[in-house]
Amino acid sequence: MITLSVPTHRREELIDITAQIRAKIREYGWNTGLLTVFCPHTTAAVTINENADPDVQSDILNTLAKLIPQRGSYAHSEGNSDAHVKSSLVGASKQVIVHSGELVLGTWQGIYFCEFDGPRHRQVYLHFRAD
Amino acid sequence: MITLSVPTHRREELIDITAQIRAKIREYGWNTGLLTVFCPHTTAAVTINENADPDVQSDILNTLAKLIPQRGSYAHSEGNSDAHVKSSLVGASKQVIVHSGELVLGTWQGIYFCEFDGPRHRQVYLHFRAD
Amino acid sequence: MITLSVPTHRREELIDITAQIRAKIREYGWNTGLLTVFCPHTTAAVTINENADPDVQSDILNTLAKLIPQRGSYAHSEGNSDAHVKSSLVGASKQVIVHSGELVLGTWQGIYFCEFDGPRHRQVYLHFRAD
């Protein structure tokens, strides 16, 4: 299991980690198999979405913020219940196919770390299982 | 890695791809292991839900459309930001167990391609790893 | 494939199944690999979230109930369309890394069965693939 370091800079942020993941695939010589990208935090998540127009990333964050406002009638006293809900909706664990040393993604897909309660020093775990 | 063709017919549509997946399991003789069903598009997704009453599928689409309307104050200029958000919430990558050549699903479960910005010619990638 | 029994007690409930999963890892001697936790029901799901303050669990359920109310204008006649939508948003299939016989989770993470239309007798399927 390999760990990526993901520093975040704002309370809510989508960070493209595709290049970091590709670098690890090369570094460890992973060839063909299934890659698990796992977020070990409960106020963050991992998603796959458009890598071209950064407006898509802000639209995702803004839409989630409207649906699940930070200030609401929550029981949890740390003021980040919205981030926990978003974490469960977007999800902590994603699987991507690797073929001949390349991530198998659609043309417009990138892999994003979703920060919902930053800024923090975050981690992402990578697990690769060769076919 | 195997590719399914999934033509879609409306802007928003849930398409049952369970039979297509079962056909590939037979065709390739996949026996026991883990099957990844991956959507390489950023305005679509894959989900597992009820295969009996088609009203469930329309309720899912209509509920998502109410929560995340197509016309809203989005930054992305292509008019499909709602579809990107839905894609991240429902998710692009799903894993299903295969045992003795059979999909291990609950009685009422089917696997659905979720079109959020169609109609288009879509694809689904299947990756099987035997135990 | 191993089956967990998960009795639920209320219509909506998050049940921590981490200890049950750890017990199966020990019982079957699973060492290092990828564990799939699969919910075979269409009105329930599996998620990974905070294991410390139970208020987080009620905040998740209450926020989902506000976004997707049980009583709404749904077509499906069984009165549980909200549960089907929640099931697709939270997701039926989650993957967790196992290393040296231990679940690889963040400090605050637990694995939860999400009941959205209980109380019922539910099941969770576990599939482990060693590296």
Side-chain angles (χ1 to χ4, degrees):
Chain A
M1 198 191 73
I2 305 303
T3 302
L4 296 185
S5 271
V6 185
T8 66
H9 317 89
R10 289 190 292 279
R11 182 166 197 270
E12 293 160 36
E13 188 177 11
L14 257 63
I15 296 178
D16 189 339
I17 57 173
T18 319
Q20 269 182 281
I21 292 172
R22 286 203 172 103
K24 292 294 179 191
I25 290 173
R26 282 192 299 270
E27 181 181 346
Y28 291 90
W30 294 335
N31 195 271
T32 293
L34 189 67
L35 180 70
T36 293
V37 183
F38 187 85
C39 166
H41 310 285
T42 58
T43 54
V46 173
T47 193
I48 299 166
N49 216 304
E50 168 158 337
N51 60 6
D53 179 2
D55 283 344
V56 170
Q57 298 147 44
S58 58
D59 282 341
I60 291 172
L61 290 173
N62 291 338
T63 304
L64 289 177
K66 274 184 214 164
L67 288 173
I68 306 153
Q70 185 183 358
R71 312 289 171 208
S73 54
Y74 301 113
H76 183 52
S77 61
E78 293 186 5
N80 60 1
S81 285
D82 63 313
H84 286 288
V85 177
K86 292 170 185 173
S87 175
S88 275
L89 288 178
V90 177
S93 181
K94 296 290 140 97
Q95 278 66 37
V96 187
I97 303 163
V98 179
H99 188 83
S100 298
E102 299 291 340
L103 277 177
V104 179
L105 293 174
T107 314
W108 307 105
Q109 286 182 321
I111 305 174
Y112 288 85
F113 183 85
C114 307
E115 175 62 85
F116 297 129
D117 190 36
R120 303 201 197 201
H121 293 285
R122 300 292 205 172
Q123 297 188 316
V124 167
Y125 299 156
L126 301 182
H127 169 272
F128 179 72
R129 178 64 177 94
D131 282 355
Chain B
M1 199 191 72
I2 304 304
T3 301
L4 297 184
S5 271
V6 184
T8 66
H9 316 89
R10 290 190 291 278
R11 182 166 198 271
E12 294 160 35
E13 187 177 10
L14 258 63
I15 297 179
D16 189 339
I17 56 174
T18 319
Q20 269 181 281
I21 293 173
R22 286 204 171 103
K24 292 295 179 192
I25 290 173
R26 281 191 301 270
E27 182 181 345
Y28 290 90
W30 294 335
N31 194 270
T32 293
L34 188 68
L35 180 70
T36 293
V37 183
F38 186 86
C39 165
H41 311 286
T42 59
T43 54
V46 173
T47 195
I48 299 167
N49 216 304
E50 168 158 337
N51 60 6
D53 180 1
D55 282 344
V56 169
Q57 298 148 42
S58 59
D59 281 341
I60 291 173
L61 290 172
N62 291 338
T63 303
L64 289 177
K66 273 184 215 165
L67 288 173
I68 306 153
Q70 185 183 359
R71 312 288 171 210
S73 54
Y74 300 113
H76 183 52
S77 61
E78 293 185 8
N80 61 0
S81 285
D82 64 312
H84 287 289
V85 178
K86 292 171 185 172
S87 175
S88 275
L89 289 177
V90 177
S93 181
K94 296 290 140 97
Q95 278 64 38
V96 187
I97 303 163
V98 178
H99 189 83
S100 298
E102 299 291 339
L103 277 177
V104 178
L105 292 174
T107 314
W108 306 105
Q109 285 182 322
I111 304 173
Y112 287 85
F113 183 84
C114 307
E115 175 63 85
F116 297 129
D117 190 36
R120 302 200 197 202
H121 293 284
R122 300 291 204 173
Q123 296 187 315
V124 168
Y125 299 157
L126 302 181
H127 169 271
F128 179 72
R129 178 64 176 94
D131 283 353
Chain C
M1 198 192 73
I2 305 303
T3 301
L4 297 184
S5 270
V6 184
T8 65
H9 317 89
R10 291 190 290 279
R11 182 165 197 270
E12 294 160 36
E13 187 178 10
L14 258 63
I15 296 177
D16 189 339
I17 57 174
T18 318
Q20 268 182 282
I21 292 173
R22 288 204 171 102
K24 292 296 180 191
I25 290 173
R26 282 193 298 271
E27 181 181 347
Y28 290 92
W30 295 334
N31 195 273
T32 293
L34 189 68
L35 179 69
T36 293
V37 183
F38 186 86
C39 165
H41 309 286
T42 59
T43 53
V46 172
T47 194
I48 298 167
N49 216 303
E50 168 158 337
N51 61 6
D53 180 1
D55 282 344
V56 170
Q57 299 148 42
S58 58
D59 281 342
I60 291 173
L61 289 173
N62 291 338
T63 303
L64 289 176
K66 274 184 214 166
L67 288 173
I68 306 152
Q70 185 183 358
R71 312 288 171 210
S73 54
Y74 300 113
H76 183 52
S77 61
E78 292 185 7
N80 61 0
S81 285
D82 64 314
H84 287 289
V85 178
K86 293 171 185 173
S87 175
S88 275
L89 290 177
V90 177
S93 181
K94 296 289 140 95
Q95 278 65 36
V96 188
I97 304 163
V98 179
H99 189 82
S100 298
E102 299 292 338
L103 277 177
V104 179
L105 293 174
T107 313
W108 306 106
Q109 285 182 322
I111 305 173
Y112 287 84
F113 183 84
C114 307
E115 175 63 85
F116 296 129
D117 190 36
R120 302 201 197 201
H121 293 285
R122 299 293 204 172
Q123 296 187 317
V124 168
Y125 300 156
L126 301 182
H127 169 271
F128 179 73
R129 177 64 177 94
D131 282 354

